[in-house]
Amino acid sequence: MVSTRKISTELRYDLLAILQHTLDSIERCEKGIEDARDVGDDQIMKALRRVHDDQCTHVEALRTLLDQDSEYPSRARDVVEEASIESFPASDAPAY
């Protein structure tokens, strides 16, 4: 069972802003990985993959904290939402 707590509006805003920044960072890492692959720079590509993986871990931690907010009960993700998350940063939603 996930514990719940009331998170203040200001703190929730901070968590959401950090989450958005982290998702943006993941997108930039993915672009950097592609660019490093294009020029054949394995060292930079590996470094960016490590950063990418760390950022993904942070995203899950932030989502867990947000899901614990008793003011905004978490909801089960549906198939379309899961596919959207997995396809991030695609510009179009999956065709379900």
Side-chain angles (χ1 to χ4, degrees):
M1 179 174 182
V2 174
S3 65
T4 60
R5 66 165 75 82
K6 183 172 180 351
I7 299 175
S8 70
T9 302
E10 295 82 12
L11 184 54
R12 184 171 182 80
Y13 177 82
D14 292 340
L15 291 171
L16 289 168
I18 294 165
L19 177 60
Q20 180 61 49
H21 177 74
T22 307
L23 290 169
D24 291 343
S25 176
I26 289 170
E27 184 176 7
R28 293 305 313 154
C29 283
E30 289 171 352
K31 176 69 172 112
I33 290 167
E34 286 179 31
D35 293 344
R37 185 181 309 118
D38 289 347
V39 297
D41 195 322
D42 289 340
Q43 183 179 8
I44 291 177
M45 192 168 60
K46 287 177 186 176
L48 289 176
R49 280 191 179 144
R50 285 191 304 273
V51 172
H52 176 275
D53 293 347
D54 287 346
Q55 296 298 321
C56 288
T57 300
H58 296 310
V59 164
E60 288 307 312
L62 290 164
R63 285 183 174 154
T64 298
L65 291 171
L66 288 164
D67 284 347
Q68 293 174 359
D69 188 354
S70 62
E71 194 73 14
Y72 297 89
S74 64
R75 58 183 175 80
R77 292 181 179 154
D78 64 14
V79 175
V80 174
E81 185 177 4
E82 283 295 332
S84 294
I85 291 167
E86 293 300 318
S87 68
F88 182 84
S91 58
D92 297 328
Y96 278 100

